[in-house]
Amino acid sequence: MAIRSIIRIVAMLIGLFSLTMLPPVFIAYIYQDGGGNDFLAAFFVTLIIGFFFWIPNRRHKSELKAREGFLIVVLFWATLGSVGAIPFLMSSSVDMNLATAFFESFSGLTTTGATTIAELNDLPKSILFYRQMLQWFGGMGIIVLAVAVLPMLGIGGMQLYRAETPGPVKDSKMTPRIAETAKALWYVYLCLTVACMLAFWLAGMSLFDALGHSFSTVSIGGFSTYDASMGHFDSEIINIITVVFLIISGINYALHFTAFSAKKFSLEVYRRDPEVRAFIFIQVLLTGICFLVLIDNDVYSSIETTFSHAMFQAVSIATTAGFTTTSFSDWPLFLPVLLIFASFIGGCAGSTGGGLKVIRVLLLNLQGQRELKRLVHPKAVYKIKLGNKALPDRVVEAVWGFFSTYALVFIVCMLALLMTGMDELSAFSSVVAMLNNLGPGLGEVALHFNDVSDASKWVMIIAMLFGRLEVFTLLVLFTPVFWKN
Amino acid sequence: MAIRSIIRIVAMLIGLFSLTMLPPVFIAYIYQDGGGNDFLAAFFVTLIIGFFFWIPNRRHKSELKAREGFLIVVLFWATLGSVGAIPFLMSSSVDMNLATAFFESFSGLTTTGATTIAELNDLPKSILFYRQMLQWFGGMGIIVLAVAVLPMLGIGGMQLYRAETPGPVKDSKMTPRIAETAKALWYVYLCLTVACMLAFWLAGMSLFDALGHSFSTVSIGGFSTYDASMGHFDSEIINIITVVFLIISGINYALHFTAFSAKKFSLEVYRRDPEVRAFIFIQVLLTGICFLVLIDNDVYSSIETTFSHAMFQAVSIATTAGFTTTSFSDWPLFLPVLLIFASFIGGCAGSTGGGLKVIRVLLLNLQGQRELKRLVHPKAVYKIKLGNKALPDRVVEAVWGFFSTYALVFIVCMLALLMTGMDELSAFSSVVAMLNNLGPGLGEVALHFNDVSDASKWVMIIAMLFGRLEVFTLLVLFTPVFWKN
Ligand SMILES: [K+]
Ligand SMILES: [K+]
């Protein structure tokens, strides 16, 4: 294991990350919110931390192996989550202890979007902007992780996508390949962000709100600059724009890249993809169920309002964004629990969405059907096909294994939260919200996580990381075989 | 599909089952509790129903095929659960509607042990005896199902046990093989029941209580004849006897048979079995955790009482018996939820316990470890070994598939219960209690299911059946491929 080489890379990343604290300085000076000096100080502290780790290791450059990828990915997220907390700790306008600052930072970077801040409306714009930006950068990391890194590491069946990723495949030389893929994906990501921002702006948001909400929409993060979340704008057009961009961002970015780089842009590439079809079907189905149950229970006065809330909440929760337009946790109990279970499905692989990912649920479903067929005809041979490609057994086993491990991590995290003193509903919905990188929970934690104990926050931070790193990336570091030789 | 042949068999079973209503008649006359005539009437009604189905189909005798096994097993349980409700419907001392009577009957036969009766103490002894006996007969059905039928049907990896089952293996001729295995297993089951009854009696129970509680102990059912369950006796010796017999009954009955039929009885056969070792380890671990947390929270006044309650509740819930000596649902919240999650593991395969079964959890664990190793060394070949036997891939996939389907059925049942108006904790714990055939839940349903709506009861009955029939037996009937030619 080339540890010092890895530290050098992480140190460089910290240095680079310190730059993210400069735009808030700029925002602070424009809006004169008084937060500029705090961010400038945070910038220097972060830069110095980066230098501190870089100097002794700066000459250690070795080609990285696939196995080291696990460690680098975990360190990237853990380190950035930690230094990302510095501005919260140093700010004079929010009063956060270590657990709370880490929670807010990890929640942003992992695009979970659960907040510890009960009163957003009164915060300086620089802090609000920084939170939105954390999500946006987190989203950048996720698409590269999901499109370029996980297929190479072969996590939870994602080797399925190995051949499809843009760029040349060289298992032992990760760096050039990832850099090339990353650039292509970020280009798409940037275009979508700009489009989303313009749409919000034209729909009536201020430029500041449009930019901030485009950040947390394309990253499927769910942070808002208002306590009422998207409900603040009370606009059906803004709701529709959000839903459209959440659905776009919930689709595999490798597909977007293919569609963008084709000579003539065409929807055909999406229409052919079984995962996209399933994803859209799920969103439509959930919207329909929410709409019918809400109508049946006479929750809203008009049909249009009902449909708008139903569609917004269904897509927002099912894609794991976690925005709200209404207090959906007070809907007839069946609906919030249905949506919270739907967040286990989440977005497509290679998107910024969380959860198990649509493709895995699709495969679990096909695999389950095969098991049933096998019971009836024990001697027949059934191949699982996705589109017209037969699935290798290795992928089948990896997907089953992913699901079971996800369930196990869920149970352990929930028991840990109960031990820290939470009640069942809050503990249950918190783990769902963290592990699926969804954001809001039910019960005590339906709006914010301010009243949660520090111990609970640390457990939740770990749960967010487990979710974002697709469980196995983190878990594999705890096996002896990983560290041997 | 030889439907009429199957109906003939089920009809004969109903006729046979009517005999179970005669012992309560006898009990009623001994104790003069006034319930005798009701049971006699119920006996005749059941007998007539049996005849009614038998007469037109009595000449249809055809050799049954493995595939028809699924239908027969489901029909056995569904039919006996239904006619088992007749005494509750006809009794003048309990006032039950259809849903409640069915719930009580299915709960008995599936050895779930959830009751709808809030006041047991005042009931006629004949009814109390009948409830206990339902569990005992249910237990008889389960061990035959689990040891002889499921391995042949290959459900959820249970083909693993195909070679080990006593008796000759003929895949296409089920009947003689099952009959032979059943006799051997029932002999063991009867011996254990007698031993358990004698132990309870010597420990101070009345003969009636000793018999009744031995029925619900060896069947891991959990019904009691008192509202306070085993807590009524307030005896540490009785607690220990219960724990011992629950652990014995939680072990594969094929192992008991091997141990019994050996020239010299020896514990070696148990000690060699990886599933038994894991099962015992789980019980010890849970007892230890409960004991330490209870001590830490000063719940009971003495160390002995603490240990007695800790051991009893840990084993009672983890083996899915569901007896209580104390209101463990009021323990520090972490413990009841831990135990309720432990009931997902349940007993060993081929035991009367419920849940996923220890062997499957053991295999899931080994399979998960293999997935982790494969991530680090993608090109290495890892075989999963149980003892010194390598596991076929087919079994591996079947176990993953079993777990995923179990989880899916869990979610669907929980959503269905929420739709019938239950709160989250009650719905959640009810599904755990039904699907794992555990019995008591938490919250509203910690003691009994009397206050639950009829719609909820029907959902729970289906959940009990799913659990008892290892999900796939029931699910496969809903696939088109099962009914095709
Ligand atoms: K989110
Ligand atoms: K039970």
Side-chain angles (χ1 to χ4, degrees):
Chain A
M1 204 71 67
I3 298 288
R4 297 191 65 177
S5 225
I6 294 173
I7 296 178
R8 184 184 67 89
I9 296 173
V10 173
M12 281 164 59
L13 192 77
I14 295 175
L16 206 63
F17 185 77
S18 68
L19 297 176
T20 63
M21 294 163 199
L22 293 180
V25 176
F26 185 66
I27 295 282
Y29 289 129
I30 292 178
Y31 291 96
Q32 289 296 322
D33 69 3
N37 289 339
D38 293 342
F39 271 100
L40 208 55
F43 161 71
F44 282 115
V45 170
T46 311
L47 194 64
I48 289 165
I49 293 176
F51 258 105
F52 180 81
F53 284 104
W54 181 72
I55 299 259
N57 301 301
R58 70 188 180 282
R59 300 204 195 290
H60 287 268
K61 296 181 190 179
S62 51
E63 190 60 55
L64 294 172
K65 300 275 158 31
R67 199 213 294 191
E68 284 154 351
F70 295 101
L71 189 60
I72 294 177
V73 168
V74 172
L75 280 179
F76 265 32
W77 245 271
T79 311
L80 293 194
S82 307
V83 300
I86 294 174
F88 296 120
L89 289 169
M90 295 181 68
S91 164
S92 45
S93 31
V94 292
D95 180 29
M96 288 190 183
N97 67 6
L98 199 69
T100 311
F102 268 62
F103 184 96
E104 198 73 15
S105 169
F106 274 94
S107 175
L109 271 175
T110 59
T111 75
T112 304
T115 189
T116 56
I117 303 174
E119 304 272 329
L120 286 169
N121 295 358
D122 307 332
L123 284 189
K125 287 222 176 343
S126 52
I127 295 256
L128 292 174
F129 187 78
Y130 177 67
R131 288 169 74 248
Q132 303 302 106
M133 217 176 45
L134 275 182
Q135 301 220 315
W136 194 66
F137 283 114
M140 284 180 74
I142 289 151
I143 48 176
V144 173
L145 180 69
V147 175
V149 182
L150 295 181
M152 240 177 332
L153 300 181
I155 286 182
M158 289 303 105
Q159 54 267 64
L160 198 65
Y161 290 106
R162 210 173 274 167
E164 287 175 9
T165 342
V169 181
K170 291 179 214 145
D171 259 288
S172 59
K173 297 201 174 185
M174 293 173 65
T175 335
R177 173 170 148 62
I178 291 176
E180 187 184 325
T181 313
K183 262 185 252 164
L185 295 171
W186 288 340
Y187 171 72
V188 177
Y189 188 66
L190 185 67
C191 290
L192 282 176
T193 311
V194 171
C196 183
M197 187 200 71
L198 289 175
F200 278 147
W201 190 41
L202 291 173
M205 280 194 193
S206 73
L207 202 58
F208 178 82
D209 286 345
L211 186 59
H213 286 88
S214 71
F215 281 168
S216 57
T217 302
V218 292
S219 65
I220 313 196
F223 270 161
S224 174
T225 53
Y226 297 98
D227 293 325
S229 186
M230 285 290 186
H232 171 85
F233 302 105
D234 195 18
S235 149
E236 288 180 15
I237 298 187
I238 287 178
N239 290 357
I240 290 172
I241 295 170
T242 313
V243 164
V244 168
F245 279 94
L246 284 180
I247 287 179
I248 293 175
S249 260
I251 291 175
N252 195 331
Y253 270 73
L255 282 187
H256 291 317
F257 177 76
T258 314
F260 268 62
S261 55
K263 259 177 275 176
K264 196 167 144 277
F265 181 84
S266 137
L267 288 175
E268 194 52 32
V269 59
Y270 301 107
R271 212 175 297 148
R272 268 203 318 262
D273 190 76
E275 189 183 20
V276 172
R277 286 207 302 263
F279 174 65
I280 303 287
F281 174 76
I282 292 164
Q283 310 308 315
V284 172
L285 182 70
L286 289 171
T287 301
I289 295 174
C290 288
F291 178 67
L292 292 177
V293 175
L294 289 174
I295 288 282
D296 188 49
N297 284 270
D298 267 332
V299 178
Y300 299 102
S301 51
S302 87
I303 294 220
E304 289 77 27
T305 314
T306 310
F307 185 78
S308 181
H309 285 312
M311 181 179 68
F312 187 89
Q313 286 309 151
V315 173
S316 168
I317 304 299
T319 58
T320 75
F323 287 120
T324 49
T325 53
T326 178
S327 54
F328 84 104
S329 62
D330 298 332
W331 283 358
L333 195 50
F334 166 71
L335 289 184
V337 178
L338 173 73
L339 291 183
I340 243 191
F341 276 129
S343 78
F344 274 103
I345 305 176
C348 298
S351 75
T352 51
L356 287 163
K357 308 294 174 295
V358 175
I359 184 75
R360 291 205 185 91
V361 175
L362 199 60
L363 292 179
L364 282 172
N365 182 23
L366 291 174
Q367 291 169 195
Q369 284 177 23
R370 176 167 76 165
E371 288 304 311
L372 283 168
K373 283 189 209 150
R374 277 176 166 180
L375 287 179
V376 182
H377 299 297
K379 273 152 200 156
V381 176
Y382 295 99
K383 271 275 157 206
I384 294 177
K385 280 189 174 179
L386 198 69
N388 44 17
K389 244 187 342 190
L391 235 59
D393 277 352
R394 179 67 174 269
V395 169
V396 173
E397 288 182 11
V399 173
W400 290 128
F402 187 83
F403 178 74
S404 309
T405 312
Y406 209 82
L408 183 71
V409 170
F410 181 91
I411 291 173
V412 171
C413 288
M414 181 170 162
L415 287 173
L417 283 184
L418 289 173
M419 281 177 83
T420 64
M422 289 184 86
D423 68 281
E424 301 98 327
L425 178 62
S426 303
F428 175 81
S429 63
S430 294
V431 183
V432 179
M434 299 304 137
L435 201 55
N436 294 335
N437 300 118
L438 164 61
L442 300 174
E444 262 185 41
V445 292
L447 297 173
H448 57 77
F449 290 75
N450 194 28
D451 306 328
V452 150
S453 77
D454 284 355
S456 305
K457 281 184 192 134
W458 290 116
V459 174
M460 289 185 200
I461 289 171
I462 292 168
M464 288 178 207
L465 269 182
F466 263 114
R468 197 70 280 178
L469 302 180
E470 308 246 314
V471 178
F472 277 99
T473 319
L474 187 50
L475 212 54
V476 81
L477 300 191
F478 295 98
T479 59
V481 71
F482 179 82
W483 297 101
K484 236 186 279 171
N485 181 19
Chain B
M1 203 74 65
I3 297 288
R4 297 192 64 177
S5 226
I6 295 173
I7 296 178
R8 184 185 66 90
I9 296 174
V10 173
M12 282 165 58
L13 191 78
I14 295 175
L16 206 65
F17 185 77
S18 68
L19 297 176
T20 63
M21 294 164 198
L22 294 180
V25 176
F26 186 67
I27 294 283
Y29 289 130
I30 292 177
Y31 292 97
Q32 290 294 324
D33 70 3
N37 289 339
D38 292 342
F39 271 101
L40 209 55
F43 161 71
F44 282 115
V45 169
T46 311
L47 195 63
I48 289 165
I49 293 176
F51 260 105
F52 179 80
F53 284 103
W54 181 73
I55 300 257
N57 302 301
R58 69 188 179 283
R59 298 203 198 291
H60 287 269
K61 296 180 190 179
S62 51
E63 189 60 57
L64 293 171
K65 301 275 160 27
R67 200 211 297 191
E68 283 154 351
F70 295 101
L71 188 58
I72 295 177
V73 168
V74 173
L75 279 178
F76 265 32
W77 246 270
T79 311
L80 294 193
S82 307
V83 299
I86 293 174
F88 297 121
L89 288 169
M90 295 182 69
S91 164
S92 45
S93 32
V94 291
D95 180 30
M96 288 189 183
N97 66 6
L98 199 69
T100 310
F102 267 61
F103 184 97
E104 197 75 14
S105 169
F106 274 94
S107 174
L109 270 174
T110 58
T111 76
T112 303
T115 188
T116 56
I117 304 173
E119 304 272 328
L120 287 168
N121 296 356
D122 308 332
L123 283 190
K125 286 221 175 342
S126 52
I127 294 257
L128 291 174
F129 187 78
Y130 176 69
R131 287 171 73 248
Q132 302 303 108
M133 218 176 45
L134 275 182
Q135 301 220 313
W136 194 67
F137 283 115
M140 284 180 75
I142 290 152
I143 49 177
V144 173
L145 179 69
V147 175
V149 181
L150 294 182
M152 240 178 332
L153 300 182
I155 286 182
M158 290 302 105
Q159 53 267 63
L160 199 64
Y161 291 105
R162 208 173 276 167
E164 288 174 9
T165 342
V169 182
K170 291 178 212 144
D171 257 290
S172 60
K173 296 200 175 185
M174 294 173 66
T175 335
R177 170 171 149 64
I178 291 177
E180 187 185 321
T181 313
K183 264 185 253 166
L185 294 172
W186 289 339
Y187 171 72
V188 177
Y189 188 65
L190 185 68
C191 290
L192 282 176
T193 311
V194 172
C196 182
M197 186 201 69
L198 289 175
F200 278 147
W201 191 40
L202 291 172
M205 280 193 193
S206 74
L207 203 57
F208 178 82
D209 287 344
L211 186 59
H213 286 89
S214 72
F215 282 170
S216 56
T217 301
V218 292
S219 65
I220 313 196
F223 269 160
S224 174
T225 53
Y226 297 99
D227 293 325
S229 186
M230 285 289 184
H232 170 86
F233 302 104
D234 194 19
S235 151
E236 286 179 15
I237 299 186
I238 287 178
N239 290 356
I240 289 171
I241 295 170
T242 313
V243 164
V244 167
F245 278 94
L246 284 180
I247 287 178
I248 294 175
S249 261
I251 290 174
N252 195 333
Y253 270 73
L255 281 187
H256 291 318
F257 178 78
T258 315
F260 267 62
S261 55
K263 261 178 273 176
K264 194 165 144 280
F265 180 85
S266 138
L267 288 176
E268 194 51 32
V269 60
Y270 300 106
R271 212 175 297 146
R272 268 205 316 263
D273 190 76
E275 188 183 19
V276 172
R277 285 207 303 264
F279 174 64
I280 302 287
F281 173 76
I282 291 164
Q283 311 307 314
V284 172
L285 182 70
L286 289 172
T287 302
I289 293 173
C290 289
F291 178 67
L292 292 177
V293 174
L294 289 174
I295 288 281
D296 189 49
N297 284 270
D298 268 331
V299 177
Y300 298 103
S301 50
S302 87
I303 294 222
E304 291 78 24
T305 315
T306 309
F307 185 78
S308 181
H309 284 310
M311 182 179 67
F312 187 90
Q313 286 310 149
V315 173
S316 169
I317 303 299
T319 59
T320 74
F323 286 122
T324 49
T325 54
T326 178
S327 54
F328 85 103
S329 62
D330 299 333
W331 283 357
L333 194 51
F334 166 70
L335 289 183
V337 178
L338 174 73
L339 291 181
I340 244 192
F341 276 129
S343 78
F344 274 103
I345 305 177
C348 298
S351 76
T352 52
L356 287 162
K357 308 293 175 294
V358 176
I359 184 75
R360 291 205 185 92
V361 176
L362 200 60
L363 292 179
L364 282 173
N365 182 23
L366 292 174
Q367 291 169 196
Q369 284 177 21
R370 175 168 75 165
E371 288 303 313
L372 282 170
K373 282 189 210 149
R374 277 176 165 180
L375 286 179
V376 181
H377 299 298
K379 274 151 199 158
V381 175
Y382 296 100
K383 270 276 156 204
I384 294 177
K385 279 188 174 182
L386 197 68
N388 45 17
K389 241 182 355 183
L391 235 60
D393 276 353
R394 179 69 173 268
V395 169
V396 172
E397 288 181 11
V399 172
W400 290 128
F402 187 83
F403 177 76
S404 308
T405 313
Y406 209 82
L408 182 70
V409 170
F410 182 91
I411 290 173
V412 172
C413 289
M414 180 168 162
L415 287 173
L417 283 183
L418 290 172
M419 280 177 84
T420 64
M422 290 185 85
D423 69 282
E424 301 98 328
L425 178 62
S426 304
F428 175 81
S429 64
S430 294
V431 184
V432 179
M434 299 305 138
L435 201 55
N436 294 334
N437 299 120
L438 164 62
L442 300 174
E444 262 186 42
V445 292
L447 298 171
H448 57 77
F449 291 74
N450 194 27
D451 306 327
V452 151
S453 75
D454 284 356
S456 306
K457 280 182 191 136
W458 289 116
V459 173
M460 290 185 200
I461 289 171
I462 292 169
M464 289 178 205
L465 269 182
F466 264 114
R468 196 70 281 175
L469 301 179
E470 309 243 316
V471 179
F472 277 99
T473 320
L474 187 50
L475 212 54
V476 80
L477 300 191
F478 296 99
T479 60
V481 69
F482 180 82
W483 297 101
K484 235 185 280 171
N485 187 15

